[in-house]
């Protein structure tokens, strides 16, 4: 069975690290999750999933779209590079 790259353990770890980075950056700006979601124009549930580093039932990481990442970075006044952890390989071994 061939899993998509998003369902790999490496991407699940990426999602967890992204969540940690989100939480730290949000805490540094003294914002609640509700305030973050509202200011980034995303649902609270979606933001909570990103910050939690959630994975779907199929094992795929719940990764935000690029536009969402950019909106979050704008709210936090940080560069994308400050938010994103190192990107895992997209190819199978």
């Amino acid at each position: 069975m061939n899993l998509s790259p998003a369902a790999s353990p490496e991407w699940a770890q990426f999602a967890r690290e992204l969540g940690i980075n989100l939480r730290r950056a949000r805490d540094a700006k003294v914002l609640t999750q509700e305030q973050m979601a509202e200011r980034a124009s995303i649902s609270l549930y979606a933001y909570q999933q990103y910050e939690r580093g959630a994975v779907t039932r199929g094992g795929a990481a719940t990764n935000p779209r690029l536009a969402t990442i950019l909106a979050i970075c704008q709210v936090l006044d940080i560069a994308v590079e400050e938010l994103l952890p190192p990107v895992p390989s997209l190819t199978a071994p």
Side-chain angles (χ1 to χ4, degrees):
M1 183 172 168
N2 202 358
L3 295 175
S4 75
S8 71
E10 294 83 9
W11 278 103
Q13 180 63 29
F14 177 86
R16 285 189 293 275
E17 291 175 17
L18 174 61
I20 290 167
N21 293 348
L22 281 169
R23 173 75 187 258
R24 286 181 182 155
R26 179 179 60 79
D27 285 347
K29 292 292 183 179
V30 194
L31 295 172
T32 66
Q33 288 181 335
E34 293 84 0
Q35 290 169 324
M36 265 305 305
E38 183 178 326
R39 292 178 187 186
S41 299
I42 59 175
S43 75
L44 174 59
Y45 178 79
Y47 182 79
Q48 289 170 331
Q49 294 300 305
Y50 303 146
E51 198 170 287
R52 191 176 294 122
V55 295
T56 65
R57 291 182 193 193
T62 314
N63 293 316
R65 295 177 308 144
L66 178 58
T68 302
I69 290 289
L70 296 174
I72 289 170
C73 287
Q74 188 171 24
V75 170
L76 295 171
D77 193 29
I78 61 174
V80 173
E81 296 83 6
E82 294 178 62
L83 186 63
L84 296 179
V87 179
S89 174
L90 293 171
T91 58

